[in-house]
């Protein structure tokens, strides 16, 4: 054999083996990513007493396990096509509504021993905990299927392990921090173009040790049943939605839409529990990442909990367009093999519920605006219904490797040149957001903004523009009716009543996955030349009983020509100082100071005339204000 023949043979062998090697590596990586979950599930006593990271839902781990090779499945202890707890959980109780069969054990030797602390008050031989679970499950069935109109889960009556119309729930010892899971059965049911799966649900045999639920463990049961039963329903609409390719041949699974819509469903069912609040810290500080972001390891990392915090996206869809849009989206998911929620399903659902008036780019950029106005930025009566409780809000700064970097980029000096804007740590992935905040105090009458997506025209940039007065949270937010794109230059005018203009760049091309997309921008020099310190104030009369904040407080706005310390002091007519506040202001910047008619102890002052002194470095301004109780 010649040298050339040897080289050619080696090259051909590499072509044949490389895909297999890569596939094997992916299989091994997938196995390693879910192994800690199965270790924890199969041996809960190993980590007994430890405060383990929360695993909101075990369903994604079973979806990942079912596409692994038999060897990896066996190593995990994963058994497909069986109900592994059926023999040990030998006691059964059928729910009053006839929709569920609850499996449990009262054996003192079993780690799955049902919680008996609730007793058996009706003396029917069934622990009350099993009856409580059954009543909750019946209520969830009525809500999901009866009220919202979803299809019931596939009937497992034709499988060797199901009992037909009743859906099986097993009460097992899940260990601390794992709420529950819905395990799909094998094989799949092929119904025309739809692929469906029967399933069963596992719940914990107690929840009183769960963080935040020590005094309300039944509420943990409620949200878990609502969440997991929606997974069972999802398996009727589209069992292939988690697949990352149309034929489900790719090892990696991504059930991001399954999980975030199940979070929406639990909130829709039990609005007072608010379990999803606990996952918002894993979403709001990371909104530059794709909505598709998902991982099964390491437990407790932001990537593993991101999709649960991102449940605010279907919450937005429901509050903005009505509850029906979530069901419509799932119906359209089932029309395409593999994941297609962002690719086509949500666009079709938006078209149906709005009569074609709203498309995905509009809805997505609108959602970006809703995300901004949470916690202390909340505008009452606008955006999310529970926005004030969404903590933390999108941060101004973010820590990386022990150092703080700007997350929301803030500007108050102009012009801004393109070469000043390229250095940034948080450029958005596809379906991620950035926020640019431009202070208007030093602008004249127009903000002229130019945008340049440096990656080229392939990326589908959309820029939403809003303006508002941060000092008056009850006033409306101005929204630019036009969505701007790459290479656009546009102007924002007539912003005298607004303190901030926010530009929100995002990418809405469903074909983009997890790219980090850079851009540059510019703002022309239309700034006001500040030659002296300026102090504005109002109103001159404070009515403490007035519901409008602007009428029951004094607002002083100070704009400075150089770095300065600004003091505000309030005195009685007898020259007794009752209130003071001090702030630092950067050169050419502006600071608001507010007095709510209270003294330094937080007590409302009496009606009368008060003297207000504003000092900017060594400059003073004094004026009077009338307070009426």
């Amino acid at each position: 054999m010649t040298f050339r023949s040897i080289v050619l043979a080696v090259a051909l062998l590499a072509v044949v083996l490389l895909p297999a090697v890569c596939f094997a590596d992916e299989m091994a990586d997938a196995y390693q990513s879910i192994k800690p979950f199965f270790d924890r599930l199969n041996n809960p006593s190993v980590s007994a007493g430890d405060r383990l990271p929360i695993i909101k839902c075990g369903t994604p781990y079973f979806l990942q396990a079912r596409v692994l090779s038999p060897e990896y499945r066996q190593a995990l202890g994963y058994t497909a096509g069986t109900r592994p707890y059926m023999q040990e959980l030998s006691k059964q109780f059928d729910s009053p509504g006839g929709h569920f069969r609850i499996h449990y054990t009262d054996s003192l030797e079993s780690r799955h021993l049902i919680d008996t602390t609730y007793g058996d008050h009706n003396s029917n031989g069934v622990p009350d905990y099993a009856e409580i679970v059954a009543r909750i499950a019946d209520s969830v069935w009525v809500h999901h299927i009866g009220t919202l109109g979803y299809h019931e889960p596939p009937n497992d009556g034709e499988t060797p392990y199901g009992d037909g119309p009743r859906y099986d729930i097993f009460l097992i010892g899940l260990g601390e921090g794992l709420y529950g899971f819905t395990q799909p059965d094998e094989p799949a049911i092929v119904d025309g173009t739809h692929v469906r799966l029967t399933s069963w649900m596992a719940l914990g045999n107690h929840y009183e040790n769960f963080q935040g639920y020590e005094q309300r463990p039944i509420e943990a049961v409620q949200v878990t049943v609502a969440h997991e039963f929606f997974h069972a329903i999802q398996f009727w609409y589209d069992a292939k939605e988690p697949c990352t390719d149309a034929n489900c041949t790719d090892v990696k699974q991504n059930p991001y839409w399954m999980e975030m819509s199940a979070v929406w469903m639990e909130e829709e069912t039990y609005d007072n529990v608010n379990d999803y609040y606990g996952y918002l810290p894993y979403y709001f500080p990371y909104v530059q990442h794709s909505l598709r972001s998902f991982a099964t390891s390491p437990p407790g990392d932001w990537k593993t909990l991101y999709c649960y915090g991102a449940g605010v996206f279907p919450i937005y869809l429901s509050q903005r367009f009505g509850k029906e849009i979530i069901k419509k989206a799932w119906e359209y998911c089932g029309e395409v093999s593999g994941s297609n929620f962002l690719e086509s399903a949500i666009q079709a659902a938006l078209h149906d519920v709005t009569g074609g008036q709203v498309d995905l780019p509009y809805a997505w950029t609108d959602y970006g605006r809703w995300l901004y106005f949470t916690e202390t930025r909340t505008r009452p009566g606008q955006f999310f219904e529970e926005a004030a409780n969404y903590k933390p809000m999108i941060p101004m700064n973010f820590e990386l490797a022990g150092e703080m970097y700007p997350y929301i980029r803030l500007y108050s000096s102009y012009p801004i040149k393109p070469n000043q804007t390229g250095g940034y740590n948080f450029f958005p992935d596809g379906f991620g957001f950035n926020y640019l905040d431009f202070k208007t105090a030093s602008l004249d009458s127009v903000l002229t903004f130019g945008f340049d997506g440096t990656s080229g025209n392939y990326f589908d940039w959309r820029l939403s523009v809003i303006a508002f007065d941060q000092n008056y949270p009850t006033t409306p937010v101005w929204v630019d009716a036009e969505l701007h794109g790459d290479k656009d230059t546009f102007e924002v005018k007539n912003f005298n009543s607004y303190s901030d203009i926010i530009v929100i760049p995002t990418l809405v091309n469903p074909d983009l996955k997890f790219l980090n997309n850079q851009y540059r921008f510019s703002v022309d020099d239309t700034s006001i030349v500040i030659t002296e310190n300026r102090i504005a104030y109002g109103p001159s009369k404070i009515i403490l009983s007035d519901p409008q904040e602007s009428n029951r407080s004094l607002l002083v706005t100070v704009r400075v020509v150089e770095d300065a310390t600004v003091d505000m002091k309030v005195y009685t007519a007898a020259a007794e100082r009752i209130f003071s506040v001090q702030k630092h202001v950067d050169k050419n910047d502006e600071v608001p100071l507010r007095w709510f008619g209270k003294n330094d102890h937080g007590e409302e002052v009496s009606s009368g005339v008060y003297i207000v002194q504003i000092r900017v470095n060594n400059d003073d301004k004094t004026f009077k204000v009338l307070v009426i109780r």
Side-chain angles (χ1 to χ4, degrees):
M1 181 179 288
T2 65
F3 176 76
R4 180 179 178 182
S5 300
I6 294 173
V7 171
L8 181 59
V10 170
L12 290 173
L13 182 62
V15 170
V16 173
L17 292 180
L18 186 57
V21 171
C22 292
F23 186 77
D25 289 344
E26 290 177 0
M27 187 82 70
D29 289 344
Y31 165 76
Q32 291 295 336
S33 74
I34 62 176
K35 183 178 182 298
F37 166 81
F38 282 94
D39 288 345
R40 184 167 159 182
L41 177 66
N42 296 328
N43 302 286
S45 61
V46 172
S47 301
D50 293 341
R51 178 66 75 180
L52 297 173
I54 289 291
I55 296 179
K56 168 67 174 171
C57 175
T59 304
Y61 297 85
F62 285 95
L63 291 172
Q64 184 66 75
R66 69 187 296 269
V67 300
L68 298 181
S69 66
E71 295 79 11
Y72 281 124
R73 289 189 186 190
Q74 183 177 4
L76 292 171
Y78 170 81
T79 52
T82 65
R83 303 286 169 89
Y85 302 102
M86 185 75 79
Q87 184 173 355
E88 187 172 357
L89 304 186
S90 57
K91 298 294 182 72
Q92 301 173 355
F93 176 72
D94 291 343
S95 68
H99 300 301
F100 296 89
R101 173 161 287 178
I102 313 301
H103 301 260
Y104 67 94
T105 181
D106 55 9
S107 171
L108 298 177
E109 289 75 31
S110 174
R111 71 178 177 91
H112 304 303
L113 172 65
I114 191 171
D115 188 344
T116 58
T117 59
Y118 293 91
D120 178 15
H121 287 81
N122 58 4
S123 301
N124 66 347
V126 178
D128 283 357
Y129 182 69
E131 296 192 61
I132 291 170
V133 170
R135 289 197 298 271
I136 290 172
D138 275 345
S139 177
V140 166
W141 180 290
V142 169
H143 177 267
H144 292 14
I145 297 168
T147 302
L148 296 185
Y150 284 86
H151 198 285
E152 62 189 67
N155 191 319
D156 65 3
E158 297 183 5
T159 65
Y161 32 78
D163 72 336
R166 288 177 292 271
Y167 188 86
D168 293 300
I169 297 178
F170 295 83
L171 305 182
I172 67 174
L174 289 174
E176 183 184 343
L178 172 56
Y179 282 70
F181 59 82
T182 303
Q183 181 172 337
D185 295 319
E186 300 283 0
I189 302 169
V190 179
D191 181 8
T193 60
H194 291 82
V195 177
R196 300 183 170 116
L197 290 168
T198 60
S199 62
W200 54 275
M201 184 193 308
L203 299 177
N205 53 4
H206 62 84
Y207 287 91
E208 68 273 8
N209 293 330
F210 276 56
Q211 188 173 2
Y213 288 100
E214 295 87 349
Q215 305 302 318
R216 51 174 191 148
I218 295 304
E219 291 187 1
V221 179
Q222 290 175 327
V223 293
T224 305
V225 174
H227 183 110
E228 298 302 336
F229 189 60
F230 194 47
H231 284 328
I233 290 172
Q234 292 166 354
F235 289 146
W236 187 89
Y237 284 94
D238 184 13
K240 283 192 171 184
E241 181 60 26
C243 300
T244 51
D245 71 335
N247 297 316
C248 265
T249 55
D250 193 345
V251 172
K252 188 176 182 181
Q253 302 286 288
N254 188 349
Y256 74 98
W257 170 235
M258 290 183 65
E259 292 302 323
M260 66 177 64
S261 60
V263 168
W264 166 80
M265 181 59 89
E266 69 184 56
E267 170 66 6
E268 172 63 30
T269 312
Y270 295 106
D271 180 54
N272 63 311
V273 178
N274 297 319
D275 182 78
Y276 75 107
Y277 285 2
Y279 307 102
L280 300 182
Y282 304 96
Y283 178 64
F284 275 87
Y286 303 94
V287 294
Q288 84 275 16
H289 291 291
S290 172
L291 188 71
R292 296 184 175 104
S293 297
F294 178 82
T296 50
S297 67
D301 184 70
W302 72 267
K303 290 182 181 178
T304 65
L305 298 173
Y306 181 92
C307 63
Y308 303 106
V312 294
F313 180 55
I315 288 173
Y316 155 78
L317 291 172
S318 178
Q319 292 182 6
R320 182 71 171 80
F321 303 106
K323 302 172 186 178
E324 178 71 11
I325 192 171
I326 308 300
K327 185 160 73 74
K328 286 279 187 183
W330 270 107
E331 290 169 352
Y332 281 114
C333 283
E335 294 188 359
V336 175
S337 181
S339 176
N340 71 304
F341 168 67
L342 280 177
E343 289 77 1
S344 60
I346 187 57
Q347 176 67 68
L350 283 165
H351 183 276
D352 284 359
V353 300
T354 68
Q357 297 300 305
V358 174
D359 60 9
L360 179 56
Y362 176 89
W364 180 252
T365 51
D366 185 44
Y367 171 60
R369 297 191 287 269
W370 283 45
L371 288 179
Y372 183 82
F373 293 105
T374 60
E375 199 184 359
T376 60
R377 299 191 191 109
T378 297
R379 319 289 287 190
Q382 306 176 62
F383 310 109
F384 286 110
E385 293 173 4
E386 299 176 5
N389 299 326
Y390 287 3
K391 302 174 182 179
M393 61 185 177
I394 296 172
M396 293 300 300
N397 299 289
F398 191 85
E399 183 176 345
L400 285 177
E403 294 192 27
M404 299 300 294
Y405 295 91
Y407 193 79
I408 295 177
R409 290 195 271 181
L410 181 66
Y411 298 91
S412 58
S413 298
Y414 309 97
I416 302 171
K417 302 297 183 182
N419 61 6
Q420 298 173 311
T421 65
Y424 184 55
N425 293 288
F426 309 104
F427 287 110
D429 297 325
F431 288 96
F433 292 105
N434 277 176
Y435 294 85
L436 311 173
D437 186 347
F438 302 99
K439 295 293 184 179
T440 65
S442 58
L443 285 170
D444 187 3
S445 59
V446 61
L447 180 139
T448 304
F449 183 92
F451 184 85
D452 179 14
T454 57
S455 300
N457 293 328
Y458 173 74
F459 299 134
D460 197 3
W461 287 101
R462 291 290 188 275
L463 281 73
S464 173
V465 184
I466 57 177
F468 59 93
D469 189 339
Q470 67 173 0
N471 302 309
Y472 293 97
T474 58
T475 57
V477 173
W478 174 82
V479 178
D480 190 345
E482 182 179 355
L483 283 182
H484 304 281
D486 194 13
K487 314 303 181 187
D488 270 5
T489 298
F490 56 88
E491 294 182 343
V492 181
K493 300 179 179 179
N494 303 320
F495 50 71
N496 291 336
S497 58
Y498 304 120
S499 63
D500 296 74
I501 298 171
I502 306 290
V503 177
I504 310 172
T506 186
L507 290 144
V508 291
N509 186 336
D511 293 330
L512 298 175
K513 301 299 182 182
F514 297 96
L515 300 176
N516 187 288
N517 306 297
Q518 297 188 5
Y519 58 85
R520 298 178 186 273
F521 60 89
S522 63
V523 175
D524 289 353
D525 187 3
T526 59
S527 58
I528 301 170
V529 178
I530 302 176
T531 58
E532 61 181 10
N533 297 328
R534 298 183 181 181
I535 300 173
Y537 64 92
S540 59
K541 179 172 64 176
I542 301 175
I543 305 174
L544 297 181
S545 60
D546 197 300
Q548 291 291 327
E549 182 179 283
S550 58
N551 294 332
R552 57 183 166 85
S553 63
L554 168 70
L555 175 64
V556 179
T557 303
V558 180
R559 189 162 56 199
V560 299
V561 68
E562 60 185 1
D563 290 356
T565 298
V566 178
D567 291 280
M568 179 168 73
K569 295 182 174 66
V570 181
Y571 298 86
T572 66
E576 176 189 0
R577 193 184 75 187
I578 59 169
F579 177 81
S580 63
V581 65
Q582 183 182 87
K583 290 188 178 182
H584 177 79
V585 194
D586 294 331
K587 178 181 178 180
N588 294 334
D589 207 350
E590 179 180 277
V591 64
L593 303 170
R594 192 178 288 277
W595 181 50
F596 287 93
K598 297 180 180 180
N599 61 25
D600 283 328
H601 302 292
E603 302 163 335
E604 286 190 352
V605 300
S606 303
S607 298
V609 176
Y610 291 83
I611 300 167
V612 180
Q613 180 189 59
I614 306 298
R615 170 167 288 184
V616 182
N617 288 342
N618 295 319
D619 295 333
D620 287 344
K621 183 178 182 66
T622 303
F623 55 90
K624 296 178 181 180
V625 62
L626 174 64
V627 175
I628 301 175
R629 296 192 65 168

